Amino acid sequence: MSMKLYVGNLAFQTSSSDLQELFAQAGTVESASVVEDRDTGRSRGFGFVEMSSKEEGQAAIAQFNGKDLNGRNLTVNEARPREDRGGRGGGGGRGGFGGGNRFGGGNRSGGGGNREPRW
């Protein structure tokens, strides 16, 4: 059974292949990826490494948590499942004429639909 690790506090120049190479010292790496910003392509400062077994994952945590890589002390622990942050759509409460708020239009802010106009 494989084990997925969260690797945080990465220097922005650290690549997925750097992670692969480093964690291979602790065992078989099934995958390694640095998370990048969708718009800029720049590293977001963290990534994930999947080790082939739980034992190798625990060994990697013991070996690399707090270790310096490119001038940054790594944070390495078992990855937790992603929390559900709700829907990805833009704000709620959008309506046509007469819907959403008392001034007739839809509420475009996603909350606070009964605010007084600012005039």
Side-chain angles (χ1 to χ4, degrees), residues 51-112:
M51 303 299 290
S52 65
S53 72
K54 194 152 184 85
E55 293 77 23
E56 290 176 336
Q58 294 294 345
I61 290 170
Q63 188 172 348
F64 300 121
N65 189 38
K67 178 181 173 71
D68 180 81
L69 177 66
N70 295 328
R72 307 287 298 264
N73 292 333
L74 299 179
T75 299
V76 182
N77 50 46
E78 186 170 2
R80 295 187 298 268
R82 187 172 182 165
E83 292 180 11
D84 183 14
R85 291 187 255 158
R88 287 233 174 236
R94 290 189 178 159
F97 293 104
N101 67 31
R102 71 181 203 204
F103 299 108
N107 175 17
R108 294 217 153 296
S109 67

Side-chain angles (χ1 to χ4, degrees), residues 20-39:
Q20 171 94 27
E21 190 175 307
L22 179 67
F23 280 79
Q25 297 172 27
T28 304
V29 177
E30 292 188 0
S31 65
S33 62
V34 172
V35 176
E36 296 175 345
D37 183 85
R38 192 176 317 169
D39 297 326

